[in-house]
Amino acid sequence: MAALPTVVFPVAGMGTRMLPATKATPKELLPVYDTPLLQFAVDEALAAGARRLVFVSHPEKSAIEEYLRPAPRLEKGLAEKGKDDLLEAVRNASVPGDVDVVFVMQHEPLGLGHAVLQAADHLLEGPVGVILPDDLMLGPPCLAEMADAFVPGDMRSLIAAQEVPRDRVSSYGIFDCTPGEAAATPARGLVEKPDPDDAPSRLAAVGRYVLDPSVFDTLRDTEPGTGGEIQLTDAIASTGAIHAFRFSGTRFDCGNPDGIVDATLAVQQMRNAPALNVAAE
Ligand code: G1P
């Protein structure tokens, strides 16, 4: 499998769609059945071969750093009490020692493009993965599928894509593209949150990106766009060689309470019948 050395996690957002649940708990740490959203994202990055995880966070969300820190006292206590299954769960929730964990702060909510740009000084050589943790992907690890499908040189971006209803296109980056048989389809363009009347399609970008490092150069010069924010979509569009990716898993929008409920039920089913592939149902 082609590996993605660096994966960036924009986690600075205030999670207003999930208040009051997110008043004191970052939305990325909300549980989906038995596991915080963030853990699914970290596992997906590791499955894509990441050697460095860059979290673009906010000083008020220090619980995320705390979650990722090793917990020797907790582990020792569980070991002493012989609670081996819980000990394993805690150990599985930590990042392997040979993987770097880097935190950078985004103090102002200046947009997803601005958030991703904060990671620019911390990239290892090679294409860069981006995971938006509130888009939860279950089934075959999405970012690893994308790392495999990414062709450096031919592609400057490869973005997970999903059809959405017409009345939802104004919540997403929308591709100008006609998907064919192949998993990766070249797109003529990508527009951020278009009006349904102007949208080039109903194919939406959903929370997983593989980016050529040149997208970061473009981001430095990207002016604020939709909503007055610096948009990742705009930098991807002006870098060109955009590709939409049809992933094989199932996506859950966990930025809203109903999405968390749906995801929780799906994970419950997975835990109770691990052999079942939720994505295939
Ligand atoms: C962001 C991106 C958008 C993308 C979406 C996927 O929007 O700007 O292009 O389609 O994530 O979840 P947000 O949900 O942060 O408004």
Side-chain angles (χ1 to χ4, degrees), residues 142-235:
C142 182
L143 198 64
E145 282 188 341
M146 292 172 65
D148 264 342
F150 188 77
V151 184
D154 284 2
M155 301 179 181
R156 291 205 169 142
S157 55
L158 181 64
I159 306 156
Q162 180 180 32
E163 287 245 336
V164 297
R166 190 184 130 86
D167 63 355
R168 298 287 298 138
V169 295
S170 56
S171 299
Y172 292 94
I174 299 291
F175 292 94
D176 180 0
C177 123
T178 321
E181 289 300 301
T185 311
R188 292 173 287 272
L190 185 65
V191 284
E192 183 68 9
K193 303 193 169 92
D195 200 273
D197 289 338
D198 306 329
S201 77
R202 291 196 291 111
L203 195 65
V206 287
R208 298 292 181 280
Y209 304 78
V210 177
L211 304 176
D212 182 83
S214 59
V215 173
F216 285 79
D217 299 331
T218 314
L219 262 176
R220 283 180 228 283
D221 299 325
T222 301
E223 299 287 336
T226 306
E229 296 184 343
I230 297 172
Q231 298 293 350
L232 180 58
T233 295
D234 293 345

Side-chain angles (χ1 to χ4, degrees), residues 49-70:
R51 311 310 303 154
R52 176 172 294 173
L53 312 180
V54 184
F55 295 87
V56 182
S57 188
H58 186 275
E60 280 174 20
K61 296 179 79 176
S62 56
I64 294 182
E65 282 161 271
E66 230 163 273
Y67 178 80
L68 289 168
R69 242 177 249 134

Side-chain angles (χ1 to χ4, degrees), residues 128-149:
V128 179
V130 177
I131 293 184
L132 310 187
D134 52 5
D135 273 332
L136 171 63
M137 299 287 195
L138 296 180
C142 182
L143 198 64
E145 282 188 341
M146 292 172 65
D148 264 342

